[in-house]
Amino acid sequence: MSHLRPYAKKKKKHMKNQERRAQLIEAATILFAENGYSGTTTKEIARAAGVTEALIFRHFENKETLYKVVIEEYVGRSRRPEWHAEIRRCMDASDDVELFRKLIGYVVEAYRSDPMMQRLIIFATLEGYHKEADRACHLPKPLLKEVVAYLSRRQQEGVFAAMDPLGMFQTIFGMARSFAVGRYVYKLKEISMSDDQAVEMFLAFTMRAVFLPV
């Protein structure tokens, strides 16, 4: 069995490299979320990960590459196919109320489930990494286009009031995002209502603003 040993060693080394890379990404994520890209150094990341700074550059070309990988990792795990399927089911059934409830609720859930990464995305936007931040949006662009097209169709059918459909979506999204940022990023103590209460309040507001009288 000696002929298998080089392969086993190589596999073990690969696993160690993968684990080390994951360790660096985890340490970098925390620091980037706390201090932003400009406020974080590779030396601090190395210290937090318990490694030498040189080791970072064995895995990543530079700090910016590491930063983009951190965001890419988040984009990969934040995409929720089941959420997107439910949104499409609501549109297929013309279930407007449930569609709005899910659009609002999913924004709040994204911030509740991973507030650290939401903070990092805010930093990314402020520091000029718009392309990376845009990719981390809660709705992928193709699905966003479907939602906007649906809102436009429901306007033409006389269900929704005449207004810019993208603006309609942004208003609904903005209410939920403002609440979620306040609660989970800024941790504002004056926010006393629960997430469920907030979702239902924003839903009621949306229905009054969007639906035409029957």
Side-chain angles (χ1 to χ4, degrees):
M1 297 296 290
S2 60
H3 62 285
L4 294 178
R5 287 176 185 170
Y7 172 78
K9 287 182 179 179
K10 186 180 293 185
K11 184 176 180 181
K12 186 175 181 181
K13 182 179 180 181
H14 176 71
M15 288 299 295
K16 283 186 176 180
N17 286 338
Q18 289 294 93
E19 290 169 4
R20 183 68 73 189
R21 187 175 187 275
Q23 181 183 5
L24 290 170
I25 291 172
E26 182 180 3
T29 298
I30 295 171
L31 289 172
F32 285 141
E34 289 178 350
N35 306 313
Y37 176 79
S38 301
T40 301
T41 66
T42 52
K43 186 176 293 186
E44 290 169 332
I45 295 170
R47 188 183 305 120
V51 301
T52 64
E53 189 177 10
L55 188 61
I56 292 178
F57 301 112
R58 284 175 53 187
H59 292 270
F60 306 97
E61 183 180 353
N62 50 42
K63 186 176 80 167
E64 185 175 41
T65 301
L66 174 55
Y67 188 60
K68 290 180 178 180
V69 168
V70 165
I71 296 177
E72 189 69 27
E73 292 263 327
Y74 169 69
V75 171
R77 69 174 183 269
S78 66
R79 290 292 185 243
R80 306 287 182 91
E82 68 276 13
W83 289 7
H84 304 161
E86 289 177 7
I87 288 172
R88 289 189 171 100
R89 278 196 293 271
C90 289
M91 293 191 291
D92 290 342
S94 296
D95 190 344
D96 303 313
V97 174
E98 193 59 24
L99 171 65
F100 291 140
R101 179 180 282 113
K102 290 189 183 301
L103 288 174
I104 294 166
Y106 291 162
V107 174
V108 175
E109 171 59 24
Y111 280 84
R112 178 173 58 225
S113 62
D114 203 344
M116 180 173 62
M117 284 305 305
Q118 301 305 328
R119 180 182 172 90
L120 187 146
I121 297 306
I122 292 173
F123 267 122
T125 304
L126 293 174
E127 294 184 302
Y129 287 87
H130 301 293
K131 183 179 179 181
E132 288 73 19
D134 188 56
R135 290 203 64 235
C137 288
H138 305 299
L139 285 189
K141 282 190 174 180
L143 181 55
L144 173 58
K145 289 180 179 179
E146 290 179 45
V147 172
V148 171
Y150 174 83
L151 299 178
S152 178
R153 174 170 67 82
R154 296 297 276 167
Q155 287 176 321
Q156 295 169 12
E157 293 170 351
V159 178
F160 296 160
M163 62 182 79
D164 177 69
L166 178 58
M168 184 191 301
F169 170 82
Q170 289 173 330
T171 300
I172 297 167
F173 177 90
M175 288 189 298
R177 185 176 184 276
S178 178
F179 167 81
V181 168
R183 163 157 284 179
Y184 293 108
V185 177
Y186 298 142
K187 302 183 186 302
L188 300 179
K189 294 180 180 179
E190 55 266 35
I191 297 178
S192 57
M193 60 182 165
S194 69
D195 290 350
D196 289 342
Q197 288 173 329
V199 169
E200 293 304 314
M201 183 181 74
F202 298 146
L203 175 62
F205 181 88
T206 299
M207 291 171 63
R208 286 196 295 270
V210 168
F211 284 87
L212 289 173
V214 179

